[in-house]
Amino acid sequence: MRFLIFLLFAAAVVNTDGFPARVLTLERVFPANKTVELQVLIARDRVRHARILQRFSGGIVDFNVVGTSDPYYGGLYFTKVKLGSPPKEFNVQIDTGSDILWVTCSSCSDCPQSSGFGIELNFFDAGSSSTASAVSCSDSICSSIVQTADASCSEDKQCGYEFHYGDGSGTSGHYVTDLLYFDTIVGPSMIANSSAAITFGCSTYQMGSLTKPDKAIDGIFGFGQHGLSVMSQLSSRGITPKVFSHCLKGDGTGGGKLVLGEILDPTMVYSPLVPSQPHYNLDLQSIAVNGQMLPIDPAVFATSDNKGTIVDTGTTLTYLVEEAFEPFVNAITGAVSQSTTPVIVKETQCYLVKSIITGIFPEVSLNFAGGASMILKPENYLVPGDPIDGGVPWCIGFQKVQNGVSILGDLVLKDKIFVYDLSKKRIGWTDYDCSNDVNVSITTSKDEFRNAGELNESSSSRTTCVLLALLLHVISVTLGYSL
């Protein structure tokens, strides 16, 4: 499921040979104790995956997903972006599987006027922004993105776009250049308003589920690797480093941290990104349960045009190829059959548990290229259901897919620091309590640790001053609605 994330930047000014760490504060739309139907989450993921797969196969490919309608304690994360002059806030979804930031235009037709997410919808009006300018077909920016099929030229010579999703929904509009605002820390207890011109989409037409008030949002923030992504635009001008990080809190009221910069931790492990891929692909090589390798042919994980393993914060559950899914479920069942009651609930393998799951369910290890392992606790592969006679059912949160693409969603990514280091072409992770402060690197020449929550000037003898990055704690919101 695509995380709903609204972007608000805060950062640190650094010395002349470094970069600032831009900080995004995450808020959770759905609290952890809010019951959401598992089938709804799966359907939402299916739409998201069709978007991912169209780049693999040249068309829109739907996932064959198995799931249940049992309650699921789910969460979505959001942040805000400020655009235009004077600046206006927009609530946008974060999407690591696409690249373009787009928001709804004031001239959009068939667009919802209210949102079931409990937020006020805003519309971008280029005519009301003194710094907005349309991107013409002759603009070099348009020429570059036309090559990716993310742009087209209209009769009025505006550079346009059109995106389609797997459920038949979609959006079209034109590109605009305007100011993106973010907060920059310039000294102890001093925050300056900063801005940079970026190119983004202005949606003039929406269809399908995008028009439904219960799912309405102001736009989508593409966090991919394409040159027109906000990350690429800012890093190409030296405004931010070519790296971003997140730490998503999985329990309680949720929340987390999202940083345009590098979160550092001495226990971080890294695996190289598979080259020449449009998404964040890693080379998954094996899976172990209780330290025992599962009988899975590594070839089923190999990356090709329509195969591989994607790390995607926009997907709620985790999806395994069929050849890996069956051995995984069998291994979990075998490990807990003496201490739980295995049951099938609406075609999903579940286990009735009369106590806490800690100490009952085995540790799982996803092993990647470079010797990097991702250790999964039971909460990273199980989802709870409503209590029934005999105990609480804990169900396998992984879903089986038959199209060759495994997707690691927030079920396994939560409660971990994740670093997307695009300059070194790698992804790193480590277990972490995301309610705690984190350390951020504020230079590109070497790692310098700064504790989030502190703001001190460096005592370095260099003529230029290095200021500490301040990471904002997540503001968790509790909204009384369901997906």
Side-chain angles (χ1 to χ4, degrees):
M1 177 169 55
R2 188 181 288 121
F3 282 125
L4 299 184
I5 296 185
F6 310 158
L7 190 66
L8 173 61
F9 289 67
V13 169
V14 302
N15 59 331
T16 54
D17 62 350
F19 290 97
R22 304 296 175 188
V23 180
L24 300 83
T25 300
L26 301 181
E27 298 178 1
R28 191 173 201 159
V29 175
F30 293 100
N33 61 354
K34 183 68 176 179
T35 297
V36 180
E37 295 296 325
L38 182 60
Q39 189 63 43
V40 174
L41 298 180
I42 294 172
R44 197 173 174 85
D45 283 345
R46 181 186 296 117
V47 173
R48 170 167 180 49
H49 296 164
R51 172 70 175 161
I52 290 174
L53 289 174
Q54 71 175 352
R55 288 188 179 271
F56 282 137
S57 61
I60 299 175
V61 180
D62 201 2
F63 272 81
N64 297 316
V65 179
V66 177
T68 77
S69 57
D70 286 346
Y72 179 85
Y73 297 97
L76 298 176
Y77 300 83
F78 69 90
T79 192
K80 298 178 183 289
V81 292
K82 291 183 180 180
L83 298 168
S85 300
K88 191 172 184 179
E89 285 188 339
F90 296 90
N91 302 323
V92 292
Q93 305 174 35
I94 194 167
D95 183 3
T96 58
S98 67
D99 305 286
I100 310 302
L101 166 65
W102 66 263
V103 294
T104 304
C105 264
S106 57
S107 59
C108 185
S109 58
D110 295 326
C111 292
Q113 302 297 310
S114 62
S115 173
F117 293 127
I119 58 175
E120 180 181 355
L121 296 180
N122 290 315
F123 302 88
F124 182 80
D125 184 1
S128 298
S129 174
S130 61
T131 50
S133 61
V135 177
S136 68
C137 289
S138 60
D139 194 298
S140 59
I141 294 177
C142 187
S143 300
S144 65
I145 56 181
V146 163
Q147 304 302 319
T148 69
D150 285 337
S152 59
C153 281
S154 59
E155 294 180 359
D156 57 5
K157 304 303 181 183
Q158 281 188 318
C159 187
Y161 69 86
E162 184 173 353
F163 300 123
H164 293 281
Y165 296 85
D167 65 345
S169 66
T171 176
S172 60
H174 56 269
Y175 287 104
V176 176
T177 297
D178 208 341
L179 294 180
L180 170 70
Y181 293 84
F182 42 88
D183 295 331
T184 302
I185 298 171
V186 296
S189 302
M190 295 175 60
I191 297 179
N193 294 325
S194 301
S195 64
I198 63 164
T199 298
F200 58 94
C202 194
S203 172
T204 57
Y205 177 75
Q206 294 170 16
M207 60 183 180
S209 62
L210 290 176
T211 67
K212 297 179 179 180
D214 62 329
K215 297 181 179 180
I217 203 73
D218 291 334
I220 294 176
F221 189 115
F223 229 76
Q225 305 175 63
H226 187 276
L228 201 61
S229 71
V230 171
M231 170 62 67
S232 295
Q233 292 186 63
L234 295 180
S235 63
S236 66
R237 283 176 274 167
I239 298 174
T240 64
K242 202 173 182 179
V243 56
F244 68 95
S245 313
H246 62 71
C247 192
L248 305 176
K249 189 171 181 290
D251 59 0
T253 56
K257 299 174 179 68
L258 180 59
V259 181
L260 299 187
E262 181 180 8
I263 298 177
L264 299 166
D265 190 275
T267 62
M268 192 82 65
V269 296
Y270 294 89
S271 185
L273 284 165
V274 178
S276 304
Q277 298 298 313
H279 304 287
Y280 296 113
N281 282 71
L282 291 178
D283 182 8
L284 177 61
Q285 298 180 333
S286 64
I287 301 176
V289 174
N290 259 346
Q292 298 297 314
M293 290 295 178
L294 301 184
I296 303 171
D297 184 351
V300 305
F301 298 126
T303 302
S304 62
D305 289 342
N306 58 356
K307 293 184 178 181
T309 302
I310 298 172
V311 178
D312 178 26
T313 58
T315 294
T316 300
L317 304 176
T318 288
Y319 295 76
L320 275 182
V321 293
E322 184 175 14
E323 298 88 342
F325 179 82
E326 299 297 346
F328 173 75
V329 174
N330 291 340
I332 299 298
T333 302
V336 301
S337 59
Q338 299 300 314
S339 51
T340 69
T341 303
V343 294
I344 301 297
V345 180
K346 297 182 180 179
E347 301 182 38
T348 296
Q349 182 63 62
C350 302
Y351 311 91
L352 290 181
V353 181
K354 296 183 178 180
S355 61
I356 62 174
I357 61 177
T358 303
I360 297 178
F361 286 86
E363 182 179 270
V364 173
S365 174
L366 306 181
N367 305 308
F368 297 87
S373 294
M374 188 183 300
I375 306 303
L376 307 183
K377 299 175 183 178
E379 295 85 351
N380 293 127
Y381 62 84
L382 297 173
V383 294
D386 288 334
I388 61 176
D389 291 341
V392 176
W394 284 83
C395 303
I396 296 292
F398 289 12
Q399 301 297 305
K400 177 172 59 177
V401 294
Q402 298 173 328
N403 60 6
V405 179
S406 296
I407 299 181
L408 308 181
D410 71 310
L411 181 64
V412 302
L413 306 183
K414 66 183 180 181
D415 299 319
K416 293 178 176 63
I417 293 172
F418 264 80
V419 175
Y420 300 72
D421 190 342
L422 304 185
S423 61
K424 296 181 180 179
K425 303 183 186 309
R426 64 180 185 174
I427 290 182
W429 60 84
T430 188
D431 288 343
Y432 202 78
D433 181 351
C434 297
S435 62
N436 291 335
D437 292 339
V438 295
N439 295 313
V440 178
S441 172
I442 60 173
T443 70
T444 57
S445 57
K446 64 179 180 178
D447 289 342
E448 296 193 17
F449 288 81
R450 296 294 181 262
N451 184 261
E454 296 181 356
L455 184 60
N456 301 306
E457 293 190 59
S458 172
S459 59
S460 170
S461 60
R462 291 174 294 182
T463 58
T464 54
C465 180
V466 179
L467 301 179
L468 302 185
L470 174 65
L471 293 180
L472 301 179
H473 280 291
V474 175
I475 303 174
S476 300
V477 294
T478 303
L479 302 178
Y481 58 85
S482 60
L483 182 66

